[in-house]
């Protein structure tokens, strides 16, 4: 997809509206200090912790709004954080590609889909703020040089197709262009820089931070401690805590070290924890989302995840014990993850279900070749061979495929009410491609509470903590019980841009 202007003109955001005995990465708690007790090593204008979607977008927007000295600090040796390895899926309502494909959508419709997935506890005001400015954030990625597949996807829980995906089918297709844009406009970036705590003024205002520079992940005493003052405040864009096994088990004891995770090792949550110590409101920490598109046959996010996300709308998920479908393949993530976890053998042991797709349709996504090449997926020329390989009863499987193909023909799924729009003319027929499914911990809905200015709220006063902003997965309460896929990138970028505007107006 060539570089285009989605807005017709620049129109950025207006009106700032560990399990015991298990060796795992866990944060060493930072300690905040008083400004009167420290000697500053450096002073900057805008200070950003974290180099994912939120941090990069904030740096670019702050520079566009006149900031001359913007600094990003990243704990890991590489930039992009967890954002670089996510699926590269970006949802936005009212885009030119929707118009080209005849898709009717709106901010209200996108918000309604998210509220439904959130099971009544999502933050409607924040969801509307993000949806209202999602196209502006998408435009930022295009301005930076991001490229997308020339088609839209309809992900689980979305009532219409509204999701772009990067041409490289991962988040690096956005983080790398944004990072290059930061370099071009003079943003200073620092890797191997670990946040160690806030530095507070007499009135409790966050005046700066304590950083450990030259840090090696896992070696907590490595590097040199420095104190950095920030003229306009501090933005925490430090991501979630999915790799902090002790913390996630405190919220959900079933999420042990045996449960896989799609996140980078650095997603341990110490920035969030220090904001709690400062007085931030903890919201929805127990709502930790698992990705129903993941595979037990590869580590991390892998190749199967994006393969499955693309193919779910025109595929069938089969319980290997019964040979029958067991879920709506494009329901929201929690609904599908729970359904997959219920797939068990006669002894109650996990029996990962399979996703069956016609090869002629699956090969439209570039990951299909990789899934087959690296033996995390299979290709079969006959249903008999498929059933034998996975020990699925053939007769009910054959009947199920015949029944589903009738739904493709009629456009109505009488089993699970699946939206069949993207399944039109895509029958399940040989040759087949198959992957196994099993959820992996992917996203933490919980974090600190923020308002539509990206200000962090104080738990005692309900007012913003002066000088402190947060954006991205480190924030909580926005999505509720279950986040819809492709909604994290617009959230991170819009809230990062929002924080930048707030800092520049403060």
């Amino acid at each position: 997809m060539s570089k285009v202007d989605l807005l017709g003109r620049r129109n950025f955001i207006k009106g700032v509206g560990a399990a015991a005995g298990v060796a795992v990465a866990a944060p060493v708690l930072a300690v905040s200090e008083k400004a009167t007790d420290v000697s500053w090593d450096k002073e900057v204008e805008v200070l950003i912790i974290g180099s994912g979607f939120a941090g990069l977008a904030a740096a670019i927007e702050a520079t566009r709004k006149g900031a001359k000295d913007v600094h990003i600090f990243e704990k890991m040796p590489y930039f992009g954080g967890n954002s670089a390895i996510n699926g590269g899926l970006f949802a936005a309502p009212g885009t030119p590609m929707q118009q080209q494909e005849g898709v009717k959508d709106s901010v209200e419709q996108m918000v309604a889909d998210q509220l439904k997935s959130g099971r009544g506890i999502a933050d409607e005001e924040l969801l509307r703020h993000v949806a209202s400015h999602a196209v502006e954030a998408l435009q930022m990625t295009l301005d930076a040089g991001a490229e997308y597949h020339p088609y839209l996807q309809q992900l689980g829980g979305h009532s219409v197709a509204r999701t772009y995906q990067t041409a490289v089918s991962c988040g690096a297709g956005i983080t790398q262009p944004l990072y290059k844009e930061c370099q071009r406009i003079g943003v200073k970036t620092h890797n191997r820089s670990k946040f160690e705590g806030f530095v507070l003024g007499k009135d409790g205002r966050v005046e700066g931070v304590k950083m450990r520079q030259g840090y090696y992940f896992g070696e907590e005493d490595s590097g040199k401690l420095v104190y950095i003052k920030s003229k306009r405040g501090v933005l925490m864009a430090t991501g979630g805590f999915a790799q902090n096994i002790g913390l996630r088990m405190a919220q959900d004891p079933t999420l042990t070290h045996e449960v896989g995770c799609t996140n980078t090792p650095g997603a341990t949550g110490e920035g969030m924890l220090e904001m709690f110590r400062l007085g931030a409101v903890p919201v929805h920490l127990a709502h930790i989302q698992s990705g129903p598109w993941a595979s037990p046959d590869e580590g991390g996010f892998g190749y199967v995840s994006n393969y499955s996300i693309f193919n779910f709308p025109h595929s069938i998920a089969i319980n290997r014990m019964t040979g029958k479908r067991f879920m709506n393949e494009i329901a929201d993530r929690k609904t599908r993850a729970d359904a997959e976890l219920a797939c068990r053998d006669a002894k109650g042991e996990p029996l990962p279900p399979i996703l069956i797709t016609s090869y002629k349709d699956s090969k439209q996504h570039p990951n299909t070749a990789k899934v087959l090449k690296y033996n995390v997926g299979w290709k079969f020329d006959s249903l008999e061979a498929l059933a034998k390989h996975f020990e699925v009863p053939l007769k009910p499987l054959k009947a199920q495929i015949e029944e589903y193909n009738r739904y493709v023909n009629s456009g109505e799924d009488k089993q699970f009410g699946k939206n069949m729009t993207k399944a039109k003319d895509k029958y399940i027929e040989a040759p087949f491609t198959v992957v196994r499914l099993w959820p992996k911990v992917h996203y933490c809905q919980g974090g600190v509470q923020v308002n539509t200015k990206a200000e962090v709220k104080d738990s005692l006063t309900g007012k913003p903590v002066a000088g402190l902003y947060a954006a991205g997965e480190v924030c909580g309460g926005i999505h509720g019980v279950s986040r819809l896929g492709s909604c994290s990138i617009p959230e991170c970028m819009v809230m990062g841009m929002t924080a930048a505007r707030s800092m520049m107006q403060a």
Side-chain angles (χ1 to χ4, degrees):
M1 180 176 179
S2 60
K3 182 175 177 180
V4 297
D5 183 354
L6 296 182
L7 301 175
R9 60 187 177 85
R10 290 230 185 268
N11 181 30
F12 297 104
I13 300 173
K14 300 182 186 117
V16 184
V22 179
V24 296
V28 174
L29 285 180
V31 179
S32 294
E33 300 181 33
K34 295 180 180 179
T36 53
D37 298 331
V38 306
S39 176
W40 299 108
D41 295 289
K42 179 190 293 188
E43 181 173 359
V44 303
E45 184 178 5
V46 174
L47 195 158
I48 299 167
I49 311 294
S51 67
F53 298 125
L56 293 169
I60 293 170
E61 183 70 357
T63 303
R64 287 175 173 175
K65 294 304 176 185
K68 304 298 184 184
D69 187 32
V70 180
H71 291 252
I72 296 176
F73 294 89
E74 167 59 48
K75 175 173 65 175
M76 304 303 283
Y78 44 83
F79 294 101
N82 213 49
S83 299
I85 64 166
N86 92 335
L89 294 154
F90 195 124
T95 62
M97 205 185 303
Q98 285 184 320
Q99 186 175 4
Q100 293 169 13
E101 297 188 10
V103 177
K104 294 182 179 180
D105 196 10
S106 66
V107 168
E108 291 303 320
Q109 190 169 346
M110 180 168 167
V111 171
D113 290 345
Q114 293 177 279
L115 289 174
K116 181 179 179 181
S117 178
R119 292 355 184 235
I121 63 170
D123 190 315
E124 184 172 353
E125 186 179 16
L126 284 170
L127 289 177
R128 183 167 287 104
H129 177 72
V130 171
S132 297
H133 302 291
V135 172
E136 298 166 27
L138 183 61
Q139 183 66 56
M140 176 183 279
T141 72
L142 291 165
D143 289 343
E147 297 181 352
Y148 295 90
H149 291 305
Y151 52 77
L152 288 174
Q153 296 187 51
Q154 182 175 351
L155 273 61
H158 291 265
S159 58
V160 297
R162 61 167 66 99
T163 297
Y164 284 64
Q165 184 172 41
T166 59
V168 292
S169 299
C170 71
I174 294 173
T175 58
Q176 288 181 1
L178 292 183
Y179 176 76
K180 289 178 181 178
E181 177 65 7
C182 283
Q183 295 291 300
R184 187 187 72 81
I185 62 179
V187 173
K188 285 83 171 179
T189 55
H190 314 267
N191 63 350
R192 291 176 48 215
S193 298
K194 183 176 181 290
F195 169 74
E196 288 281 326
F198 297 108
V199 180
L200 309 177
K202 292 181 179 180
D203 58 355
R205 179 184 178 83
V206 174
E207 293 194 359
V209 298
K210 176 170 61 173
M211 300 290 297
R212 187 174 290 275
Q213 296 192 308
Y215 166 79
Y216 286 95
F217 181 72
E219 299 180 17
E220 299 308 316
D221 293 329
S222 59
K224 176 185 177 182
L225 287 176
V226 297
Y227 292 89
I228 305 171
K229 188 173 184 179
S230 179
K231 178 181 178 181
R232 296 188 181 274
V234 174
L235 170 60
M236 299 296 286
T238 51
F241 59 91
Q243 287 286 17
N244 185 335
I245 296 176
L247 180 56
R248 79 187 196 197
M249 283 184 66
Q251 316 306 320
D252 184 346
T254 68
L255 300 179
T256 68
H257 68 284
E258 296 178 344
V259 179
C261 181
T262 66
N263 289 198
T264 61
T268 48
E270 57 265 46
M272 177 190 71
L273 293 174
E274 183 61 13
M275 284 191 283
F276 290 157
R277 289 169 57 131
L278 201 62
V281 182
V283 187
H284 298 177
L285 294 183
H287 296 308
I288 301 172
Q289 185 177 77
S290 294
W293 22 253
S295 168
D297 299 308
E298 60 183 349
F301 195 82
Y303 293 114
V304 171
S305 296
N306 270 329
Y307 165 93
S308 300
I309 290 169
F310 175 81
N311 285 296
F312 269 130
H314 50 264
S315 303
I316 55 173
I318 296 294
N319 184 322
R320 289 157 59 194
M321 285 286 288
T322 66
K324 304 286 287 183
R325 291 172 73 208
F326 61 94
M327 68 177 185
N328 173 350
E329 290 83 1
I330 56 172
D332 70 79
R333 285 176 170 176
K334 179 172 174 55
T335 296
R336 287 179 290 162
D338 289 348
E340 290 172 9
L341 291 171
C343 291
R344 306 276 165 168
D345 64 18
K347 296 181 180 180
E349 296 297 321
L351 187 67
I354 55 176
L355 187 71
I356 303 176
T357 314
S358 292
Y359 176 69
K360 64 178 175 59
D361 296 319
S362 72
K363 70 179 181 180
Q364 301 305 312
H365 195 272
N367 275 23
T368 300
K370 296 174 182 177
V371 162
L372 297 175
K373 177 182 178 180
Y374 294 108
N375 299 312
V376 293
W378 298 261
K379 183 181 178 183
F380 299 96
D381 293 325
S382 71
L383 195 60
E384 289 76 13
L386 186 161
K388 181 179 180 181
H389 182 89
F390 290 104
E391 299 183 334
V392 179
L394 178 60
K395 186 175 180 179
L397 176 60
K398 185 176 181 180
Q400 173 65 89
I401 290 177
E402 291 175 350
E403 181 178 356
Y404 180 81
N405 281 340
R406 290 196 293 272
Y407 302 155
V408 174
N409 186 57
S410 68
E412 180 184 3
D413 175 12
K414 294 183 179 180
Q415 275 182 297
F416 294 99
K418 175 180 178 177
N419 184 319
M420 300 297 286
T421 303
K422 286 287 185 177
K424 184 179 180 181
D425 299 327
K426 295 181 179 179
Y427 298 95
I428 305 298
E429 53 192 17
F432 310 98
T433 45
V434 181
V435 295
R436 297 202 305 163
L437 302 171
W438 200 251
K440 292 179 182 177
V441 175
H442 178 63
Y443 189 89
C444 300
Q445 275 88 259
V448 302
Q449 187 176 40
V450 295
N451 59 23
T452 55
K453 294 183 179 181
E455 297 168 325
V456 177
K457 296 180 71 173
D458 183 89
S459 56
L460 292 178
T461 67
K463 297 178 180 180
V465 177
L468 181 61
Y469 305 85
E473 193 177 348
V474 75
C475 303
I478 298 174
H479 300 284
V481 174
S482 180
R483 176 179 67 78
L484 290 185
S486 69
C487 290
S488 65
I489 301 179
E491 178 216 332
C492 288
M493 291 194 61
V494 169
M495 294 308 292
M497 294 165 74
T498 298
R501 291 185 65 89
S502 294
M503 296 170 84
M504 294 304 294
Q505 292 177 1

